Amino acid sequence: MSIIKAEQGMLTIRCNNEIVWIEPWGRDALRVRACKQSQMPEEAWALENKGEFAAEIEAGPEGGYIRNGKLTAKVSRAGALSFVNQKGELLLEEYFRNRRDITSPKCSALDVDAREFKPILGGDYTLAAHFESDPGEKLYGMGQYQQPYLDLKGCELELAQRNSQASVPFLLSSKGYGFLWNNPAVGSVTFGKNVTTWRAQSTKVLDYWITAGDTPAEIEESYASVTGTVPMMPDYGMGFWQCKLRYQTQDELLNIAREYKKRGLPISVIVVDFFHWPYEGEWKFDPEYWPDPDAMVRELKEMGIELMVSIWPTVDYESENFKEMKENGYLINTERGFPVGLRCFTDTLHFDATNPEARSYVWNKVKQNYYDKGIKVFWLDEAEPEYSFYDFDHYRYHLGPNVQIGNIYPRCYAQTFYEGMEAEGQQNIVNLLRCAWAGSQKYGALVWSGDIHSSFESLRNQFAAGLNMGIAGIPWWTTDIGGFHGGNPSDPAFREVLVRWFEYGAFCPVMRLHGDREPHKAPMSDVRGGRCASGADNEVWSYGDEAYEICKKYMFLRERMRPYTEQLMREAHEKGSPVIRPLFYGFPEDKKAWEVEDQYLYGADILVAPILYAEQRERRVYLPEGVNWTEVWTGKGYEGGQTITVDAPIDQIPLFVKDSALLEVLNP
C-alpha cells in the first residue's frame, strides 16, 4: 500500500517507487506532481503565482485528502486520486485497472496504472496519465486546432506547435472544473468515450493543475490568477489593421496608408511583412526598398497609424549575424544531419528563444534597427517555430530536447520582445504571434490562426479555434480576414467569403485584414530583400463596389464600438476574461447554451451569429433564456429561451443585444 503523509503544507504519496505531491496553488485549486526520481523537479512552467493558501489535510494508512477552498483531492490507500467540489460532486478521477487494492471496485487484472512512467534512453520517461471519462461531459479550450469542433469530447489532439496549430493545454469542463496540463513536452491527449489519456513523449515529471468553480467565468479567473493576464490593449489595437503579403517597398506602403486617409476610412495599424530585410536574421530594413524608415514612421504617426513590422526567428547562413550566433550557442541545434530548421529561400536555423542570452542578443538588434526608430509593435511570425519537417525529435534547445520542452518556445519568443520593450518603459505591450502556450498571454501575445485557406470551411474552423483559444486563457486572438492561401479578389465566390469573414472580423478581439491573394506580383529582384513575390491587392477597395461598401460599414461600426471593446479588453487584463465567449460562458444555467456551437458572445451584451456557409441568406439563432434580446438590424424584440429564424442579406451579420443595450451604437 501507499505511504500517505501531510508534510510541508501538502499531501505526499510514496507508492511503487513514485513520489507524488499535491499542494494548494491559487484559489480553489491544487497542483499535482509525480516523478520517479530522487527529487521532484522544480520548474514551474506556466504556474507562476502560487499565492498563500492554507489547505486542510488529513492522511493515514487508509488514505487521505487535501482541501483548498472548493476543491478536494482524495487519495485511496493504493495511491489513486479523485477530485470533488465543495458539494461532494465528483469532478475527475484517475483511471486505473490493477490489483494494488483488491477491495476497490476498479480492481482488475489488466494491470493499467493511472500514472505510467516508462523509461527511455537518457534516463527520462515517456508518460501516460489516465483519467476516467464521463461520456456526458463537454470539454472546451486546449488552444487552436484546424477543426470545426467547439466541444472537444471525443477528439484526439496533438500537443505540439505547428503553423496554424497552437497547443495551449488548458481545458474547461461542463462538470465545473478547469485542468491545465503543465508540461511543455510534445505529446497528445485523447478525450475518449471510455478514457481520457494525456501523453508526453519525453519528460521527467507528471505535472498538472486543477481548479473547481461554480461558473465558467469563475474557473477562467482562477486560471488567470496563476498564469497571468494580458496587458491592457493599447488604443490602436482596437481599431482596423491593414495588412497583405506583402508591400514590397516603402513608397507602396505609404501610398496605401495615404489612400485610406484620403477615403476617410478608419485605420489604426499598417504592416510591413516579411523579406523587407536583406537576409533572414539581420533584423533590419533593406535600404534598397526601404530607404528612410525614420521618415516612414513619422509620416504614419502623423496620419494616426501605427506601423507593425514582421520579425522572423530564422537566421540565414548568409546573414551577417549567423557566425556569431552559431559560435555563441544562440541557435537551435539539430540531432543529426546538416543543421537546418526552415528552408525558405536558403538554409536557416532559428534563434533559440529558450536561451536568455539569445533573447537579449536578438532584442538588442531589433531595438537598434526598429524600436529606436519609433516602431513599437511587432509581428513575431514563425513562432512555433515552423520547421520544413516537423520531426520534433530532431531539434534541441537550450532548455532541453524539443520533444521534452518544445511547446514553450512561442512563449519564450513573446517573452524576448515583451521584456525588452518593458525595459524601455513601454506599457500596454501587444505583439502578434502565430502560436502560444500557457502563460503566453502575460507577455502581450496576440495570436492569429496562421496560414489558413480562403474558404467557408476554413472560416468554420477559425470560428471554433477562436472561442477555444479564449477558453484556454488566450483572450487576444485574430485571423487573416478572408483566409491566407488563395482567393482572387475578382472572383465573385471569394468576394462572398471575404465579406462574410469581414463581418465576423468586426466582432473578433482584433480586426485584421491579411492574405496572400492571387495572382501574384513578380519579385523586385533575385537577391536580398527583393527576392520575395507579392500577392494581389488586398485593400478594402480591391473587391468591387458592393464589397467595398460593406467593408466600410463594418469598419465604422468597429470604430463606434471602441468604448465597449475597451471595456472588454479591461476585463481581459484584470480578470483574464475571454473577449469572445461561447454562449454557455454568459448563460451557464441554460442547458441549450451548452449545445450551440455556431454562435458566440462579444463580451456580455452582444450575441453574434455569423454566416458560415456560401449563399446563406438566413439562419436559425438561439437566444439564451433569462433576458430579453433585440435584433440589431430590425429593432425587433424577443424573449430569451427560444430559437428563431432571421434574415441575413449579404451586408448583415445577425446581431442581437441584451435589452436594447448598444443598439444605437451598432445601428445608429
Side-chain angles (χ1 to χ4, degrees), residues 4-32:
I4 305 167
K5 295 182 178 180
E7 49 188 353
Q8 298 180 337
M10 57 185 169
L11 187 67
T12 66
I13 309 166
R14 289 188 175 269
C15 176
N16 194 30
N17 197 34
E18 177 188 50
I19 305 169
V20 182
W21 288 1
I22 312 168
E23 60 188 310
W25 202 291
R27 174 179 72 251
D28 304 319
L30 297 167
R31 183 185 185 186
V32 179

Short mmCIF file of all heavy atoms in Angstrom, two decimals, residues 4-32:
data_model
loop_
_atom_site.label_atom_id
_atom_site.label_comp_id
_atom_site.label_asym_id
_atom_site.label_seq_id
_atom_site.Cartn_x
_atom_site.Cartn_y
_atom_site.Cartn_z
N ILE A 4 1.16 7.62 2.82
CA ILE A 4 0.48 8.90 2.60
C ILE A 4 0.73 9.78 3.81
O ILE A 4 0.47 9.38 4.95
CB ILE A 4 -1.03 8.67 2.38
CG1 ILE A 4 -1.25 7.69 1.23
CG2 ILE A 4 -1.75 9.99 2.14
CD1 ILE A 4 -2.67 7.17 1.13
N LYS A 5 1.24 11.01 3.57
CA LYS A 5 1.59 11.90 4.67
C LYS A 5 1.14 13.33 4.39
O LYS A 5 0.97 13.74 3.25
CB LYS A 5 3.11 11.90 4.89
CG LYS A 5 3.70 10.59 5.35
CD LYS A 5 5.20 10.74 5.56
CE LYS A 5 5.82 9.45 6.06
NZ LYS A 5 7.30 9.60 6.27
N ALA A 6 0.93 14.07 5.46
CA ALA A 6 0.75 15.52 5.41
C ALA A 6 2.06 16.15 5.83
O ALA A 6 2.50 15.98 6.98
CB ALA A 6 -0.38 15.97 6.31
N GLU A 7 2.74 16.86 4.92
CA GLU A 7 4.02 17.45 5.25
C GLU A 7 4.27 18.69 4.39
O GLU A 7 3.95 18.73 3.20
CB GLU A 7 5.16 16.44 5.07
CG GLU A 7 5.17 15.69 3.75
CD GLU A 7 6.20 14.57 3.72
OE1 GLU A 7 7.00 14.45 4.65
OE2 GLU A 7 6.18 13.81 2.74
N GLN A 8 4.83 19.72 5.02
CA GLN A 8 5.20 20.96 4.36
C GLN A 8 4.04 21.58 3.59
O GLN A 8 4.20 22.11 2.49
CB GLN A 8 6.40 20.74 3.43
CG GLN A 8 7.64 20.28 4.16
CD GLN A 8 8.83 20.07 3.25
OE1 GLN A 8 8.71 19.84 2.05
NE2 GLN A 8 10.02 20.14 3.82
N GLY A 9 2.84 21.50 4.21
CA GLY A 9 1.68 22.13 3.63
C GLY A 9 1.09 21.43 2.42
O GLY A 9 0.28 22.01 1.69
N MET A 10 1.47 20.18 2.19
CA MET A 10 0.92 19.42 1.07
C MET A 10 0.69 17.97 1.47
O MET A 10 1.13 17.52 2.53
CB MET A 10 1.85 19.50 -0.15
CG MET A 10 3.24 19.04 0.07
SD MET A 10 4.24 19.35 -1.43
CE MET A 10 5.88 19.03 -0.79
N LEU A 11 -0.03 17.27 0.61
CA LEU A 11 -0.27 15.84 0.78
C LEU A 11 0.73 15.11 -0.11
O LEU A 11 0.84 15.39 -1.31
CB LEU A 11 -1.70 15.49 0.37
CG LEU A 11 -2.18 14.07 0.63
CD1 LEU A 11 -2.28 13.81 2.13
CD2 LEU A 11 -3.54 13.83 -0.03
N THR A 12 1.50 14.18 0.48
CA THR A 12 2.50 13.45 -0.28
C THR A 12 2.17 11.96 -0.28
O THR A 12 1.59 11.43 0.67
CB THR A 12 3.92 13.65 0.28
OG1 THR A 12 4.01 13.08 1.59
CG2 THR A 12 4.25 15.14 0.35
N ILE A 13 2.55 11.32 -1.35
CA ILE A 13 2.31 9.88 -1.52
C ILE A 13 3.60 9.24 -2.00
O ILE A 13 4.27 9.77 -2.90
CB ILE A 13 1.20 9.60 -2.55
CG1 ILE A 13 -0.07 10.41 -2.24
CG2 ILE A 13 0.87 8.13 -2.63
CD1 ILE A 13 -1.06 10.44 -3.39
N ARG A 14 3.97 8.12 -1.42
CA ARG A 14 5.04 7.28 -1.93
C ARG A 14 4.45 5.92 -2.24
O ARG A 14 3.88 5.27 -1.37
CB ARG A 14 6.21 7.18 -0.95
CG ARG A 14 7.01 8.47 -0.83
CD ARG A 14 8.25 8.31 -0.01
NE ARG A 14 9.06 9.52 0.00
CZ ARG A 14 10.03 9.79 -0.88
NH1 ARG A 14 10.30 8.91 -1.83
NH2 ARG A 14 10.73 10.92 -0.82
N CYS A 15 4.59 5.57 -3.52
CA CYS A 15 3.92 4.36 -3.98
C CYS A 15 4.64 3.82 -5.21
O CYS A 15 4.86 4.58 -6.17
CB CYS A 15 2.46 4.67 -4.31
SG CYS A 15 1.50 3.35 -4.99
N ASN A 16 5.02 2.55 -5.18
CA ASN A 16 5.60 1.91 -6.36
C ASN A 16 6.79 2.70 -6.90
O ASN A 16 6.90 2.97 -8.10
CB ASN A 16 4.52 1.74 -7.43
CG ASN A 16 4.94 0.77 -8.54
OD1 ASN A 16 5.72 -0.16 -8.30
ND2 ASN A 16 4.41 1.00 -9.75
N ASN A 17 7.70 3.10 -6.00
CA ASN A 17 8.90 3.86 -6.37
C ASN A 17 8.56 5.21 -7.00
O ASN A 17 9.29 5.73 -7.83
CB ASN A 17 9.79 3.05 -7.31
CG ASN A 17 11.21 3.59 -7.39
OD1 ASN A 17 11.74 4.11 -6.39
ND2 ASN A 17 11.81 3.51 -8.57
N GLU A 18 7.46 5.80 -6.59
CA GLU A 18 6.99 7.05 -7.15
C GLU A 18 6.73 8.04 -6.02
O GLU A 18 6.24 7.67 -4.95
CB GLU A 18 5.70 6.81 -7.95
CG GLU A 18 5.08 8.07 -8.54
CD GLU A 18 3.71 7.77 -9.14
OE1 GLU A 18 2.89 7.15 -8.44
OE2 GLU A 18 3.48 8.16 -10.29
N ILE A 19 7.09 9.31 -6.25
CA ILE A 19 6.79 10.40 -5.34
C ILE A 19 5.66 11.22 -5.94
O ILE A 19 5.71 11.59 -7.11
CB ILE A 19 8.01 11.30 -5.11
CG1 ILE A 19 9.22 10.49 -4.64
CG2 ILE A 19 7.68 12.42 -4.13
CD1 ILE A 19 10.51 11.31 -4.66
N VAL A 20 4.63 11.53 -5.15
CA VAL A 20 3.52 12.37 -5.58
C VAL A 20 3.36 13.51 -4.60
O VAL A 20 3.33 13.29 -3.38
CB VAL A 20 2.20 11.57 -5.68
CG1 VAL A 20 1.07 12.47 -6.19
CG2 VAL A 20 2.36 10.35 -6.60
N TRP A 21 3.27 14.73 -5.12
CA TRP A 21 2.98 15.92 -4.32
C TRP A 21 1.66 16.52 -4.76
O TRP A 21 1.43 16.74 -5.96
CB TRP A 21 4.06 17.00 -4.49
CG TRP A 21 5.39 16.70 -3.86
CD1 TRP A 21 5.76 15.58 -3.17
CD2 TRP A 21 6.54 17.56 -3.89
NE1 TRP A 21 7.05 15.69 -2.75
CE2 TRP A 21 7.56 16.91 -3.18
CE3 TRP A 21 6.78 18.81 -4.43
CZ2 TRP A 21 8.82 17.47 -3.03
CZ3 TRP A 21 8.04 19.39 -4.28
CH2 TRP A 21 9.05 18.71 -3.58
N ILE A 22 0.80 16.86 -3.80
CA ILE A 22 -0.44 17.59 -4.07
C ILE A 22 -0.46 18.79 -3.14
O ILE A 22 -0.46 18.63 -1.92
CB ILE A 22 -1.68 16.71 -3.84
CG1 ILE A 22 -1.52 15.34 -4.53
CG2 ILE A 22 -2.93 17.41 -4.35
CD1 ILE A 22 -2.56 14.33 -4.11
N GLU A 23 -0.48 19.98 -3.70
CA GLU A 23 -0.37 21.18 -2.88
C GLU A 23 -1.33 22.26 -3.36
O GLU A 23 -1.68 22.32 -4.54
CB GLU A 23 1.07 21.70 -2.91
CG GLU A 23 1.56 22.08 -4.28
CD GLU A 23 3.04 22.40 -4.31
OE1 GLU A 23 3.49 23.21 -3.48
OE2 GLU A 23 3.75 21.86 -5.19
N PRO A 24 -1.75 23.15 -2.47
CA PRO A 24 -2.59 24.27 -2.90
C PRO A 24 -1.80 25.21 -3.80
O PRO A 24 -0.63 25.52 -3.53
CB PRO A 24 -2.99 24.94 -1.58
CG PRO A 24 -1.91 24.55 -0.62
CD PRO A 24 -1.46 23.19 -1.02
N TRP A 25 -2.45 25.65 -4.87
CA TRP A 25 -1.78 26.55 -5.81
C TRP A 25 -2.84 27.46 -6.41
O TRP A 25 -3.49 27.15 -7.35
CB TRP A 25 -1.07 25.77 -6.91
CG TRP A 25 0.03 26.56 -7.56
CD1 TRP A 25 -0.14 27.64 -8.36
CD2 TRP A 25 1.44 26.35 -7.46
NE1 TRP A 25 1.07 28.12 -8.78
CE2 TRP A 25 2.07 27.34 -8.23
CE3 TRP A 25 2.22 25.43 -6.80
CZ2 TRP A 25 3.47 27.42 -8.36
CZ3 TRP A 25 3.61 25.51 -6.92
CH2 TRP A 25 4.21 26.49 -7.69
N GLY A 26 -3.03 28.62 -5.79
CA GLY A 26 -4.07 29.52 -6.20
C GLY A 26 -5.38 29.23 -5.50
O GLY A 26 -5.51 28.30 -4.69
N ARG A 27 -6.40 30.02 -5.80
CA ARG A 27 -7.71 29.91 -5.17
C ARG A 27 -8.45 28.68 -5.67
O ARG A 27 -8.54 28.43 -6.86
CB ARG A 27 -8.49 31.19 -5.50
CG ARG A 27 -9.83 31.30 -5.11
CD ARG A 27 -10.46 32.63 -5.49
NE ARG A 27 -10.71 32.78 -6.92
CZ ARG A 27 -10.06 33.58 -7.75
NH1 ARG A 27 -9.08 34.35 -7.31
NH2 ARG A 27 -10.40 33.64 -9.03
N ASP A 28 -8.98 27.87 -4.74
CA ASP A 28 -9.82 26.71 -5.10
C ASP A 28 -9.10 25.78 -6.07
O ASP A 28 -9.72 25.20 -6.97
CB ASP A 28 -11.14 27.17 -5.74
CG ASP A 28 -11.93 28.12 -4.87
OD1 ASP A 28 -11.98 27.90 -3.64
OD2 ASP A 28 -12.47 29.11 -5.41
N ALA A 29 -7.79 25.61 -5.88
CA ALA A 29 -7.01 24.89 -6.88
C ALA A 29 -5.89 24.09 -6.22
O ALA A 29 -5.41 24.42 -5.14
CB ALA A 29 -6.44 25.86 -7.91
N LEU A 30 -5.46 23.04 -6.92
CA LEU A 30 -4.38 22.18 -6.46
C LEU A 30 -3.44 21.89 -7.63
O LEU A 30 -3.87 21.75 -8.78
CB LEU A 30 -4.93 20.86 -5.92
CG LEU A 30 -5.84 20.94 -4.69
CD1 LEU A 30 -6.55 19.61 -4.47
CD2 LEU A 30 -5.05 21.34 -3.45
N ARG A 31 -2.17 21.76 -7.31
CA ARG A 31 -1.17 21.31 -8.27
C ARG A 31 -0.74 19.90 -7.89
O ARG A 31 -0.45 19.63 -6.73
CB ARG A 31 0.04 22.24 -8.28
CG ARG A 31 1.10 21.87 -9.32
CD ARG A 31 2.33 22.74 -9.21
NE ARG A 31 3.31 22.49 -10.27
CZ ARG A 31 4.52 23.03 -10.33
NH1 ARG A 31 4.90 23.87 -9.37
NH2 ARG A 31 5.34 22.74 -11.33
N VAL A 32 -0.69 19.03 -8.89
CA VAL A 32 -0.31 17.64 -8.69
C VAL A 32 0.96 17.37 -9.48
O VAL A 32 1.01 17.62 -10.69
CB VAL A 32 -1.43 16.68 -9.14
CG1 VAL A 32 -0.99 15.23 -8.95
CG2 VAL A 32 -2.72 16.96 -8.38
#
